[in-house]
Amino acid sequence: MSMTVDLDTGFLILKALAEPLRWQIVAALAEEELCVCHLVEDLGAPQPLISHHLRVLREAGLVESEKWRYWTYYRLRPGAMTGLAGRLHDLGSSCPAPSEQRRACC
């Protein structure tokens, strides 16, 4: 499931992922669905901080949640980073060879 990522969305995603604890949360959720208590235990961070970072990740469109009994489980949104990965790949592969595209100086 690929999606096109515009500049604003790409920036929001990169900004969300740039924070080290959020990156750890995303890496953990890439392996399995987890609730806040799992993330607190696994990452050694306080519950309010984990909840804050999950909110930022949700707002960036990277994470979604689902209530199950008394708990809320979090997971990565399928394809959430695919569009950004494609855009980054396109940028990297479109780089001209050295001296091929050079603007003259004033």
Side-chain angles (χ1 to χ4, degrees):
M1 171 174 157
S2 180
M3 62 183 202
T4 303
V5 173
D6 61 37
L7 188 59
D8 291 337
T9 304
F11 178 75
L12 184 66
I13 293 170
L14 287 172
K15 187 176 175 184
L17 292 173
E19 205 291 328
L21 186 55
R22 286 196 286 262
W23 183 264
Q24 290 179 301
I25 292 169
V26 167
L29 295 177
E31 295 180 21
E32 61 183 321
E33 291 184 19
L34 299 166
C35 69
V36 173
C37 64
H38 297 130
L39 292 165
V40 166
E41 183 178 314
D42 293 351
L43 302 177
Q47 181 272 321
L49 185 59
I50 295 289
S51 294
H52 164 75
H53 286 311
L54 284 167
R55 181 176 46 83
V56 172
L57 292 168
R58 271 195 324 269
E59 290 172 356
L62 294 168
V63 170
E64 58 190 17
S65 61
E66 181 180 357
K67 295 267 188 204
W68 187 74
R69 296 186 182 169
Y70 304 107
W71 304 277
T72 301
Y73 276 79
Y74 295 87
R75 64 178 165 266
L76 289 184
R77 273 190 55 235
M81 290 187 276
T82 306
L84 179 62
R87 178 124 189 195
L88 291 171
H89 177 267
D90 292 346
L91 283 172
S93 62
S94 69
C95 294
S99 304
E100 190 176 292
Q101 282 284 60
R102 187 175 288 165
R103 186 185 298 193
C105 291
C106 304

